[in-house]
Amino acid sequence: YMENQKKVWTIKEAFAHGWHKTKANFWFIVALLLVVYAVSYAGQESAIGFIISVFTGFIMASVFLRISRGQTVTFNNLFTDLSGGKFVQYFVMMVVTTVFVVIGLVFLIVPGVIIGLMMSFSAFAMMDEPKEVSWKSNAFWRAMKQSKHLANGEKWNLLAFFLVALGLNVLGALAFGLGLIITIPVSVMALAYIYDALKNKPAVVIAEIPGNAEEVHASETPETNINQ
């Protein structure tokens, strides 16, 4: 199998998608971010502050991925992806990922950045795990491997994306912080767009025929379409 080399996403397309979805769900997103901020602020001085931050991160990843995919999200179905086992797996994943990135940054900055880029889709990959996943399973590792697989060969493109996202959110912060209400969801849903684009990109199958080698494009032949 050979991966199709055709570019399946661009930074412009990703941010255009993020902006469109944010604009279409603006008031719900504003209300959600205010609730998340209030919950995070209330728990920041407590011993469970880190758990609260991971919990809100879980909800945000779930909500923004679903909105990015065109699903209707309200406060009534806010916890659709949440279960005890899945949250434990997400929590473990975030701890392990953070440790890897920090170790990479401590020894040499570049390895930490690379690890961060490779793990950038792990939260979305965890959302695609079954809700009934056991807390004792290795779903966290599957999500991390899936993220690494999708980011493979995309590191420079992802670095450019995150630099643009950083600049956008700095501008949002300069607007008395109010701009972050727009720039954060735009950036996260732009990343969700990239995740789905890479996850669903077609592959090129090389069919070896005795005496002849024929390329069959998966995008042209539904039977050979492979979701990454």
Side-chain angles (χ1 to χ4, degrees), residues 4-223:
N4 194 341
Q5 297 301 309
K6 182 179 179 181
K7 197 170 183 64
V8 296
W9 67 275
T10 65
I11 293 175
K12 181 179 179 181
E13 290 170 350
F15 279 106
H17 173 85
W19 165 245
H20 173 72
K21 295 299 182 180
T22 299
K23 185 171 61 173
N25 298 270
F26 181 72
W27 292 113
F28 169 73
I29 290 173
V30 169
L32 175 64
L33 290 178
L34 289 175
V35 171
V36 167
Y37 174 78
V39 171
S40 300
Y41 182 80
Q44 67 178 353
E45 300 298 333
S46 68
I48 61 171
F50 179 70
I51 296 177
I52 291 175
S53 68
V54 175
F55 176 79
T56 56
F58 182 106
I59 299 303
M60 298 275 275
S62 169
V63 167
F64 288 142
L65 181 60
R66 284 186 283 153
I67 290 178
S68 175
R69 289 172 170 174
Q71 299 175 25
T72 300
V73 184
T74 67
F75 283 101
N76 290 330
N77 65 0
L78 196 64
F79 304 113
T80 293
D81 287 323
L82 182 65
S83 68
K86 194 168 183 177
F87 177 71
V88 169
Q89 289 293 311
Y90 180 86
F91 184 87
V92 172
M93 182 189 73
M94 295 307 297
V95 171
V96 173
T97 299
T98 301
V99 169
F100 282 175
V101 172
V102 169
I103 291 175
L105 291 174
V106 167
F107 287 97
L108 286 171
I109 293 177
V110 173
V113 173
I114 293 175
I115 293 171
L117 293 174
M118 299 300 277
M119 294 297 104
S120 56
F121 301 120
S122 56
F124 296 139
M126 180 57 73
M127 293 307 112
D128 280 336
E129 286 286 328
K131 184 176 180 179
E132 300 78 16
V133 65
S134 169
W135 68 272
K136 296 184 291 185
S137 72
N138 62 345
F140 77 94
W141 194 246
R142 285 199 302 270
M144 293 172 67
K145 287 176 64 178
Q146 170 76 335
S147 180
K148 179 179 181 295
H149 169 71
L150 295 178
N152 187 39
E154 298 283 342
K155 288 186 286 292
W156 287 110
N157 295 329
L158 287 172
L159 180 60
F161 167 81
F162 280 111
L163 289 175
V164 173
L166 175 62
L168 184 66
N169 283 282
V170 167
L171 291 176
L174 291 176
F176 304 101
L178 296 177
L180 293 173
I181 294 176
I182 296 175
T183 60
I184 288 176
V186 167
S187 299
V188 177
M189 283 190 279
L191 185 62
Y193 171 87
I194 298 171
Y195 168 72
D196 276 334
L198 293 173
K199 184 171 181 281
N200 299 315
K201 73 177 180 180
V204 174
V205 178
I206 306 301
E208 293 294 343
I209 301 175
N212 186 28
E214 179 183 356
E215 284 195 4
V216 181
H217 287 267
S219 57
E220 299 172 357
T221 309
E223 291 80 9

